[in-house]
Amino acid sequence: MPGPRLPASLPIRIACRLVRQMVAELICLLGDRVSLRRDRRRFTCQVRQIAMYVCHVALGISMSDIGEALGRDRSTVSHACHVVEDRRDDLAFDDFISTVERLVTAIFSIPEVASHD
């Protein structure tokens, strides 16, 4: 089942960046419940990988479009999706990814409200 369609007024680039920011904020809120390395460079890489995965799986955005939106190549997005999928064997990590997917799906599923002029 494909993910929700993004509103036409929301560029893919903005959607991907919003997901990336949300992932970073959620990791900071959850603290040690999600086992991610805390050094800045590695943290940034893991946030980006999770965001790429969620954009592809939950929103159904193509790997090429995600790569373009986040300044990476399609093959980098593919690698990120494989890395995240492999880590889902860890129950805490899987719960975190499932939560992010539910939030992203709920946020981007909100239909645009027609103006009543």
Side-chain angles (χ1 to χ4, degrees):
M1 179 174 100
R5 289 186 54 156
L6 295 175
S9 62
L10 182 64
I12 290 173
R13 181 178 55 90
I14 301 298
C16 291
R17 290 178 181 183
L18 286 170
V19 171
R20 182 179 61 193
Q21 184 63 37
M22 186 171 59
V23 169
E25 296 294 333
L26 286 169
I27 290 171
C28 290
L29 282 173
L30 293 175
D32 292 332
R33 291 180 54 193
V34 179
S35 61
L36 294 176
R37 297 197 179 163
R38 296 295 174 189
D39 65 89
R40 182 94 172 136
R41 185 171 178 219
R42 186 71 179 151
F43 175 81
T44 302
C45 179
Q46 290 174 328
V47 166
R48 187 173 49 246
Q49 287 176 335
I50 293 168
M52 289 175 171
Y53 175 84
V54 171
C55 285
H56 182 64
V57 172
L59 296 178
I61 300 172
S62 74
M63 291 184 186
S64 296
D65 286 343
I66 295 167
E68 185 177 321
L70 297 177
R72 297 293 188 269
D73 188 75
R74 186 198 94 56
S75 63
T76 303
V77 179
S78 177
H79 174 73
C81 290
H82 289 292
V83 167
V84 172
E85 192 62 46
D86 288 346
R87 290 198 58 205
R88 291 195 79 166
D89 290 336
D90 174 355
L91 186 57
F93 186 78
D94 184 59
D95 286 345
F96 175 75
I97 298 299
S98 294
T99 299
V100 175
E101 288 174 337
R102 283 191 308 274
L103 286 169
V104 166
T105 300
I107 290 167
F108 289 99
S109 293
I110 299 171
E112 290 189 61
V113 178
S115 66
H116 299 280
D117 292 322

